[in-house]
Amino acid sequence: MTADDITRGRTRTGTGPGVPGQRQPGAPGPPVPAPGGGAAARPADTPAGRVVPGGFRVSARTLRALASTEPSPEGMALVRDVRWSKRLVLLRAVLDAAPAGGEAGAHWELLEAAERQDPGAVRDVLLYPSTGVWAEETLRRLHAPDGPAADLAHLGSLAAAAALRAGIPFEITLRPVQGRIALPTLGLLRPHRLGPVPLSEGAWDPDHPAVLPLHALPGGRTALDDLDPYRAVPGSPGPVRPARRLTPKGHKRWDTQWTGALTLLERYDTARAGEIAGLLRSVVPLAGGTRSAGATLPAAAGSVLVRGQAPPALAATLVHETQHGKLGALTDVLPLHTGDGTARYWAPWRADPRPLEGLLHGAYAHLALACYWQRAALYGARAAWACHARCRAQVAAVLPVLQSETRLTKAGREFVAAMVEAERTMDELPPPADQHATARRALEQERRAWCEAHPELAASARG
C-alpha cells in the first residue's frame, strides 16, 4: 500500500486497499446512464473542499434497496466500499498537506510493512471510526495555520497499532499526549516515563498495568470505545460529548444493555441485527446528562455515540443511527438534492426547524424505525404498535414535502419515491384498533403548535 495506491484506488488481489469501481486519475468519468439504469457520481457533484471518493456508480436496484431502509447485500457492499475509498482519499489528502521532511513518511512505511504481513489488520486500523475523525481534524488544521497545530504524530500511533496487530518486528518512537499513547483498535498505553517513548513488537500486553485495552462488547467485533482521544470531534459540544473512561461496573452495565438489545434485534428483525453487526465497529458512550439518545458523526463512519439505556430503547437507537451512516455513505458519492443549510422545514421528531438534508435524514431513519417497530409488534413487544404508529405518522407527514421539493436531483426523486413505496407497504399489516388515527391526530396538534411558533415557515408544514 503505497501513497500512490491511495491516489489510484488500485484494486489488488485479496484484501488490499483498492476499492472496486474507483476510476483512474485522468480517465473520463462514468457515462451518464439511460433512465432507470442507475446513477453515476463524480467528484464534481460535491461541494468544494469536501473530501469524497469519486467514480462510484449506484445502480437503480441498489438505490431502491437503500431507500427502503431494508438491509441488502448490494447496499451493505456499497456502504463498505464508499467508507474505505473515502478513508483512503482522506489519508492521501493528509499526506499531501503534511510538511515535507517530517515523520509522516516513515510512519507510512511502517503501515506498508504491516499491510504486507496482515492486510486485514491495516484495513481495520485505517477504517476504525476514530481514524476518520483524526484525519478530518488534522486536514482542517493543516489548512488553518493560525489555529491549533495538526496532530500528525497520531499517524505513528496508527502505524504502531497496525504493526502490533500484524505481529511484525518494528521500532518506533511516540510522544505521549497527557501521559497516554493511543493505539486505535487496541486501547491506550500509559508509560511511566516522561518524553518520547520507544515502542517495539513487545509493547502491547493487555495484562500489564500500563495498558488499558479497549473494551469489546459481547457477541461480535463492536468495541465500546471510552478511550480513544478521537472517538468524537475534539471539543465536541454538549449533545455529542463523549463520556470519560468508564469503570468496570460501567462496562458491565453496558455489556448487559448491549446483549439485551442484540437479543431483541435478532428476535424481531434478524436482517437489521446483521446489518448493525456488519456496519457498526464502535459504540461511544455519551456523557451523563446528555438528552440525546444517540448521534452519528459523519467523520466517524462505523460508530455511534449512544446514551446508556434499557435494551428496547437501545435496540431502536441502533436501528435509527445505523440509517444515518448508510445514507451518509450514499450521499458521499451520489447527491440527492441541491439544497443549502437553511433551516425551514417542520420535522415532527424535533422542535426546531430543519434544513432539507436534516429532513431527509430524519425521515429515512424514522422509516426504518416504523418498519422495525411493526415487526417487533408482530412478535408481541410491549407498546410496539404505538411506537410504529407514531413513527409512521411522522414519516407520512414529511414524505409529501420531500416529493414536492424541487431541489431534489433525479437520484433524489427516485430515492424518495422508493421511500414512499416502502411506507405504503406497511399497510399490509396495520396496527389494531385505531392506533394510526390516534397517532395522526396527535401529530396534527403538534403541527399546528409548531406553525404557531414558526408562522414564517408554516408553508413547509402541510396539514
Side-chain angles (χ1 to χ4, degrees):
M1 177 182 59
T2 66
D4 287 341
D5 289 333
I6 299 180
T7 301
R8 290 192 290 268
R10 183 166 57 192
T11 302
R12 300 185 193 172
T13 303
T15 55
V19 179
Q22 186 154 357
R23 71 180 164 89
Q24 303 294 316
V32 178
R42 297 183 180 140
D45 293 329
T46 58
R50 185 177 169 198
V51 177
V52 299
F56 279 89
R57 183 178 182 277
V58 182
S59 71
R61 175 180 174 178
T62 300
L63 188 65
R64 286 193 300 269
L66 282 169
S68 74
T69 79
E70 296 292 340
S72 68
E74 58 266 31
M76 291 257 303
L78 178 70
V79 171
R80 287 170 170 160
D81 284 350
V82 169
R83 286 177 175 177
W84 180 230
S85 183
K86 182 179 180 181
R87 189 60 50 84
L88 293 181
V89 172
L90 186 57
L91 289 170
R92 171 75 266 181
V94 170
L95 289 175
D96 286 345
E103 298 176 324
H107 293 161
W108 193 260
E109 289 177 1
L110 180 55
L111 276 167
E112 291 177 348
E115 191 210 23
R116 288 191 289 270
Q117 178 66 26
D118 191 342
V122 175
R123 184 182 178 106
D124 191 41
V125 170
L126 296 184
L127 262 179
Y128 193 68
S130 66
T131 303
V133 176
W134 164 77
E136 289 202 6
E137 180 69 9
T138 298
L139 189 61
R140 184 186 67 79
R141 292 184 180 186
L142 286 170
H143 289 288
D146 295 334
D151 183 15
L152 285 169
H154 190 73
L155 183 60
S157 294
L158 296 172
L164 286 165
R165 290 189 52 183
I168 63 172
F170 73 98
E171 292 183 355
I172 191 172
T173 299
L174 299 177
R175 299 170 184 82
V177 177
Q178 296 181 347
R180 298 180 176 185
I181 296 174
L183 296 172
T185 75
L186 293 175
L188 295 177
L189 287 177
R190 297 179 294 180
H192 297 297
R193 53 181 292 181
L194 299 175
V197 177
L199 299 181
S200 62
E201 58 270 23
W204 186 258
D205 177 4
D207 296 323
H208 194 280
V211 171
L212 287 177
L214 205 59
H215 183 76
L217 289 166
R221 70 187 190 104
T222 305
L224 184 71
D225 197 337
D226 57 343
L227 298 176
D228 197 296
Y230 289 100
R231 62 191 183 276
V233 179
S236 299
V240 290
R241 186 166 50 89
R244 296 178 179 272
R245 178 189 167 202
L246 301 180
T247 64
K249 185 178 179 180
H251 285 157
K252 187 175 181 179
R253 185 183 306 114
W254 264 98
D255 286 348
T256 300
Q257 294 171 347
W258 175 260
T259 300
L262 287 190
T263 299
L264 294 176
L265 286 165
E266 290 165 358
R267 179 186 304 161
Y268 301 149
D269 199 331
T270 305
R272 291 195 192 277
E275 179 180 68
I276 289 168
L279 295 180
L280 198 59
R281 183 62 178 86
S282 69
V283 170
V284 176
L286 283 168
T290 302
R291 296 178 61 184
S292 175
T296 300
L297 302 178
S303 179
V304 296
L305 293 99
V306 183
R307 184 184 68 206
Q309 51 201 291
L314 178 58
T317 298
L318 294 175
V319 170
H320 179 116
E321 297 301 332
T322 299
Q323 309 315 306
H324 289 306
K326 289 162 57 181
L327 186 53
L330 175 65
T331 55
D332 271 336
V333 296
L334 186 65
L336 299 181
H337 65 84
T338 59
D340 56 24
T342 304
R344 57 165 63 92
Y345 298 95
W346 173 55
W349 43 87
R350 291 184 60 140
D352 55 329
R354 301 295 290 153
L356 181 55
E357 178 78 0
L359 188 70
L360 181 60
H361 262 271
Y364 186 68
H366 282 79
L367 177 61
L369 280 176
C371 295
Y372 169 72
W373 283 122
Q374 184 180 52
R375 289 173 184 146
L378 294 172
Y379 276 89
R382 183 180 180 183
W385 276 126
C387 292
H388 160 74
R390 170 75 175 169
C391 289
R392 187 178 176 191
Q394 292 174 328
V395 174
V398 165
L399 285 177
V401 177
L402 290 172
Q403 281 184 293
S404 65
E405 177 55 62
T406 59
R407 291 175 297 174
L408 293 181
T409 62
K410 179 179 181 294
R413 292 192 297 272
E414 294 174 358
F415 189 85
V416 171
M419 288 178 63
V420 171
E421 182 180 350
E423 189 268 331
R424 287 174 180 168
T425 61
M426 288 186 272
D427 282 335
E428 298 171 4
L429 296 167
D434 61 347
Q435 294 198 48
H436 265 163
T438 300
R440 287 194 295 267
R441 285 195 297 271
L443 198 64
E444 174 60 16
Q445 292 178 354
E446 295 171 16
R447 185 192 70 81
R448 291 177 180 175
W450 190 89
C451 289
E452 290 177 1
H454 305 278
E456 73 284 4
L457 301 176
S460 73
R462 298 181 178 180

